[in-house]
Amino acid sequence: MAASTKKNLSISSVDDQSQYKATWTQRAWFASGCTTVLISLAKSMLILAAGAPTGPRTLLHLIMAALLGYLLADLSSGIYHWAIDNYGSAKTPVFGSQIESFLAHHQYPSEITKFETAGITYTMAGFVTVAFLPVNLFSNDPIFLWFVAVFTGFGLLTLNIHAWSHTPRRKLPPVVAALQDAGVLIRWSQHTAHHRPPFNSSYCVMSGIWNRVLDEYKVLLALEVALFRVMGVKPRSWSEPISEWKPMMTQDEQPVLH
Ligand SMILES: [Zn+2]
Ligand SMILES: [Zn+2]
């Protein structure tokens, strides 16, 4: 779940710090994704500032839009992660490198903390740019643009937020540690279940809020059964044990990497 699959798979055997650096292309995608989010935010604020006086009703709509964006970002992270962990292979068109990268993350869970932010997030940043830059250009609804800003902002950073849940607490920026403590971002104790056999729960990696719902009501298992019945495809999580997958270290065992 990082710069490139080949880099991930060679991690344990090659002690070359340069492999964790992002390329300039990845940094450019990261910058374009961040710019797209900022345009949504700025356009929303400018429209509100230029329009009719705003009251409590507008404020309520902004709060609800932000909440919806935040919740949907976590749910999307869970569904995407579940699909990538369970279906396809390195040869799958478009998603192949992501699939290989996520599977490598299960083999070497703590390696994700070594990568530069742009190297982890560039795929999501690219998606945000391509899918939401046109939305920014054509939408003039400030509430919707505010929703888009929150949804894409958290969505773009999801894999970095996931990496923070693998990072030793003493190495976290204080604001990130505070947000983890407040339950805004997923923390180690919430994510560790995903890295334990049978490796089929806690797929949401942004806030983790949806994990309880998806796991208790077996929503993703129901989807797996439906897909198997319709298409005859078994998810990877049914063929356990996945022998090469390793558990997550305890928070204190995590190596100091930066
Ligand atoms: Zn996973
Ligand atoms: Zn993880």
Side-chain angles (χ1 to χ4, degrees):
M1 147 165 338
S4 83
T5 305
K6 286 199 175 65
K7 286 178 181 176
N8 267 328
L9 293 178
S10 61
I11 280 166
S12 60
S13 55
V14 180
D15 186 22
D16 174 9
Q17 292 303 308
S18 66
Q19 67 184 316
Y20 303 116
K21 277 195 168 301
T23 65
W24 284 104
T25 308
Q26 291 165 350
R27 288 174 189 157
W29 276 119
F30 179 60
S32 71
C34 291
T35 305
T36 304
V37 175
L38 290 174
I39 290 172
S40 306
L41 193 64
K43 190 170 177 184
S44 170
M45 294 297 101
L46 285 172
I47 293 170
L48 284 171
T54 54
R57 197 181 170 85
T58 308
L59 188 63
L60 182 66
H61 287 164
L62 286 172
I63 291 170
M64 286 170 63
L67 193 60
L68 188 64
Y70 171 75
L71 291 173
L72 269 184
D74 187 54
L75 183 60
S76 305
S77 80
I79 292 170
Y80 184 74
H81 185 176
W82 162 78
I84 292 283
D85 267 9
N86 283 289
Y87 299 99
S89 70
K91 294 184 178 135
T92 301
V94 183
F95 298 102
S97 66
Q98 281 275 289
I99 293 167
E100 200 175 9
S101 208
F102 273 62
L103 298 185
H105 174 58
H106 277 281
Q107 291 178 42
Y108 311 107
S110 60
E111 296 292 336
I112 191 174
T113 63
K114 296 182 180 179
F115 284 89
E116 197 177 311
T117 299
I120 298 173
T121 57
Y122 77 97
T123 309
M124 287 301 160
F127 172 74
V128 164
T129 305
V130 172
F132 290 95
L133 201 53
V135 173
N136 284 341
L137 293 175
F138 293 111
S139 174
N140 290 310
D141 181 337
I143 307 295
F144 178 65
L145 286 167
W146 177 245
F147 158 78
V148 168
V150 174
F151 176 65
T152 56
F154 278 110
L156 189 154
L157 291 174
T158 287
L159 292 182
N160 206 61
I161 291 168
H162 170 207
W164 281 328
S165 76
H166 281 266
T167 304
R169 189 177 167 83
R170 63 191 181 283
K171 296 298 293 178
L172 288 173
V175 66
V176 172
L179 288 170
Q180 286 187 353
D181 288 346
V184 176
L185 304 180
I186 194 165
R187 55 184 179 273
W188 176 85
S189 58
Q190 293 170 296
H191 184 51
T192 189
H194 180 69
H195 287 278
R196 275 200 299 259
F199 302 103
N200 63 357
S201 67
S202 302
Y203 286 100
C204 300
V205 290
M206 201 285 284
S207 66
I209 284 172
W210 286 94
N211 282 330
R212 179 174 287 193
V213 178
L214 296 181
D215 293 342
E216 276 191 18
Y217 292 96
K218 302 190 187 311
V219 177
L220 298 174
L221 180 61
L223 270 176
E224 289 167 4
V225 171
L227 281 173
F228 178 63
R229 288 198 178 141
V230 174
M231 302 173 72
V233 186
K234 278 188 187 175
R236 252 183 291 279
S237 61
W238 289 11
S239 54
E240 58 172 296
I242 303 171
S243 55
E244 306 114 18
W245 287 17
K246 296 185 179 60
M248 198 169 162
M249 293 176 180
T250 67
Q251 207 165 18
D252 291 332
E253 285 172 338
Q254 302 272 12
V256 177
L257 302 163
H258 296 293

